[in-house]
Amino acid sequence: HTNEKPFSCIFCRKSFSTKSNVATHIRTHTNEKPFRCTICRKSFSQKSHLAAHIRTHTNEKPFPCIRCKKSFCKNSDLEKHIRSHKNEKSFTCIICLKSFSQKSILVTHIHTHTNEKPFTCAICRKSFSQNSNLVRHIRTHTHEKPYTCILCRKSFSQKSHLAIHIHTHTNE
């Protein structure tokens, strides 16, 4: 471990210790996304991102919390969740002083004070305070159903609907 970084990005000159790391980094400049989901055709720049995405279709959650047994599709989501157990809330609203464990949750919360809805549907012009709500809404226009049951191949427009459906197979 010499901290040597002999591989440089041809675009920004950032250095890397391995050839594969620089190749992955270069995709941030070229927007190349060679890894495609066979279920919904969405593409990704990294194989690990595709693997995490596929779990959104299968509802596989291989990262369990050892404190409460809740499971997550991505390790990064588990890490965020663990902060909620530690009660780490370093992001504070300057309007009401309520604190949050994640900056993104604070940003969404601030919209409740401002009534700001910065995410607008290009089809019907309805606006939303969160991008995730807009994405879900757009599926009402496109009829896209990206969440597919691996047991019977039935598809759903919302992840929560797939989760409910899966219980019909497990009788829970």
Side-chain angles (χ1 to χ4, degrees), residues 43-129:
S43 296
F44 298 87
S45 61
Q46 295 182 40
K47 194 173 189 176
S48 61
H49 294 176
L50 170 61
H53 165 78
I54 287 172
R55 289 193 288 268
T56 68
H57 294 298
T58 63
N59 213 27
E60 180 191 359
K61 297 179 178 181
F63 302 100
C65 174
I66 57 172
R67 286 184 84 178
C68 71
K69 304 298 183 226
K70 186 172 181 180
S71 293
F72 299 87
C73 293
K74 297 188 292 191
N75 190 48
S76 60
D77 291 340
L78 170 61
E79 289 169 0
K80 289 176 195 169
H81 169 77
I82 288 170
R83 284 201 296 270
S84 72
H85 287 301
K86 293 177 180 174
N87 212 18
E88 286 178 24
K89 295 184 175 180
S90 8
F91 303 97
T92 303
C93 175
I94 59 169
I95 299 167
C96 70
L97 303 181
K98 187 172 181 180
S99 294
F100 301 89
S101 60
Q102 297 172 42
K103 185 178 180 181
S104 61
I105 297 172
L106 169 62
V107 169
T108 299
H109 165 79
I110 288 173
H111 292 156
T112 65
H113 295 299
T114 63
N115 205 23
E116 183 184 2
K117 294 182 178 180
F119 305 100
T120 304
C121 177
I123 299 166
C124 71
R125 309 306 300 160
K126 185 172 182 177
S127 294
F128 300 87
S129 60

Side-chain angles (χ1 to χ4, degrees), residues 114-163:
T114 63
N115 205 23
E116 183 184 2
K117 294 182 178 180
F119 305 100
T120 304
C121 177
I123 299 166
C124 71
R125 309 306 300 160
K126 185 172 182 177
S127 294
F128 300 87
S129 60
Q130 296 180 51
N131 187 51
S132 58
N133 291 341
L134 170 62
V135 169
R136 189 179 316 119
H137 165 78
I138 287 172
R139 290 191 200 117
T140 66
H141 297 298
T142 64
H143 305 291
E144 179 193 9
K145 294 181 177 183
Y147 304 103
T148 303
C149 176
I150 59 170
L151 300 171
C152 70
R153 309 301 298 159
K154 187 172 181 179
S155 294
F156 301 87
S157 62
Q158 294 183 38
K159 189 192 248 182
S160 61
H161 295 171
L162 170 61

Side-chain angles (χ1 to χ4, degrees), residues 33-44 50 54:
K33 296 179 179 181
F35 305 100
R36 179 168 280 174
C37 176
T38 57
I39 298 166
C40 71
R41 313 302 294 158
K42 188 172 182 179
S43 296
F44 298 87
L50 170 61
I54 287 172

